[in-house]
Amino acid sequence: MRIGLLGTGNVARALAHGWRAAGHDVLLGSRRPEERTGLGLPVAGLDETAAHAHVLVNATPGGVSVDLLHSIGAPALAGTLLIDVGVGLSDDFSALTHPNSSLGELIQEAFPLTPVVKTLCTMDSTTMTAPGELTEPGTVFLSGDDAEAKRTTGRLLTDLGWPESSQLDIGGITTARGQEHFAFLFMGIAGGVASHTFNIKVVTRPSADTL
C-alpha cells in the first residue's frame, strides 16, 4: 500500500519506518521538501504526497493541520482515507487548540468526502511502532464514521505490531475528542513514571456487563 505521511517530525518518521519495514511504500510530505533531506526516507511536496498515497496520515502539529490540508485541496483528498494522529496544543503545552471539539472532527467536517480515522494519539512515537516492547499489551483506540476506513486502519495498525485484541473501536469521529483530550493525562503520567514511553490498557470484568 502507498502511504503518504504529512509531516517530517518524530511521529511521521517513526510511522514511516514502521510501515516500510512491513512492506509498504511510504512517502513523507513537506511544505519545504528541499530542506528535509537526509532523513533516510523519501520526501516530496504535499501535493505530490497526496497524489501518491492510497492512505494519508496527518502527523502535522494540530494547530495548523486543517489549514495545511486546505492547501492541498478537498478534490485531491476526496475518497482517500486520512488517518489523523495529531493533537492541537498551544506552544507551551498548557492548552488545547480545540478545547470544545477535536482535530479529527474538524478535519472530517472540512473534508466530508475524505473518511477520517483518529488513532495513535494517546502515546509517544516509540510506543506507536513498538507496542510489543512494553511490559504487557496496551490499547490503541479508533474513532471514525466510516467502517471500511476503520478496517483498513486496523490492518495498518496490525502491521505496526498492534494485534486486533489491542484495538478498540470507540465509535464515530466525535469520540476523537476523548482521545485528544487525553493529552493532559498523558503528560501527567509521563511525569509520574519519568518516561514518555508507556501506554494505557482498557481492562474489564471477566464477564463484562453490556451497556
Side-chain angles (χ1 to χ4, degrees), residues 50-51 53-54 56 69 72-82 108 110-115:
H54 295 126
L56 276 173
L69 290 167
I72 298 172
L77 300 175
T80 300
L81 164 59
L82 191 146
Q108 188 62 89
F111 303 94
L113 300 181
T114 300

Side-chain angles (χ1 to χ4, degrees), residues 19 81-85 116-123 138-158 162-180 202:
W19 278 317
L81 164 59
L82 191 146
I83 299 173
D84 176 35
V85 302
V116 177
V117 178
K118 189 80 185 189
T119 192
L120 289 171
C121 71
T122 56
M123 62 197 73
T139 302
V140 61
F141 305 98
L142 295 94
S143 302
D145 296 333
D146 187 291
E148 181 57 34
K150 283 195 278 193
R151 282 191 287 270
T152 300
T153 302
R155 291 193 292 269
L156 290 174
L157 290 174
T158 300
W162 295 95
E164 288 187 19
S165 58
S166 291
Q167 300 177 27
L168 183 59
D169 182 345
I170 59 173
I173 195 62
T174 57
T175 65
R177 198 172 305 187
Q179 292 198 55
E180 294 183 28
V202 174

Side-chain angles (χ1 to χ4, degrees), residues 58 65-66 69 82 84 103-112 116:
N58 174 47
S65 296
V66 174
L69 290 167
L82 191 146
D84 176 35
L103 175 60
E105 290 174 89
L106 295 178
I107 293 174
Q108 188 62 89
E109 181 181 1
F111 303 94
V116 177

Side-chain angles (χ1 to χ4, degrees), residues 7-123:
T8 57
N10 291 337
V11 169
R13 297 198 306 271
L15 291 173
H17 280 299
W19 278 317
R20 186 167 69 171
H24 297 287
D25 177 358
V26 300
L27 180 64
L28 297 179
S30 171
R31 284 180 286 195
R32 293 178 291 276
E34 69 281 355
E35 298 177 8
R36 304 300 289 160
T37 59
L39 298 179
L41 292 161
V43 184
L46 299 176
D47 292 344
E48 181 181 345
T49 301
H52 169 86
H54 295 126
V55 174
L56 276 173
V57 180
N58 174 47
T60 62
V64 302
S65 296
V66 174
D67 287 343
L68 182 142
L69 290 167
H70 275 303
S71 74
I72 298 172
L77 300 175
T80 300
L81 164 59
L82 191 146
I83 299 173
D84 176 35
V85 302
V87 176
L89 289 167
S90 60
D91 291 341
D92 62 359
F93 301 103
S94 67
L96 291 163
T97 55
H98 313 106
N100 299 311
S101 183
S102 69
L103 175 60
E105 290 174 89
L106 295 178
I107 293 174
Q108 188 62 89
E109 181 181 1
F111 303 94
L113 300 181
T114 300
V116 177
V117 178
K118 189 80 185 189
T119 192
L120 289 171
C121 71
T122 56
M123 62 197 73

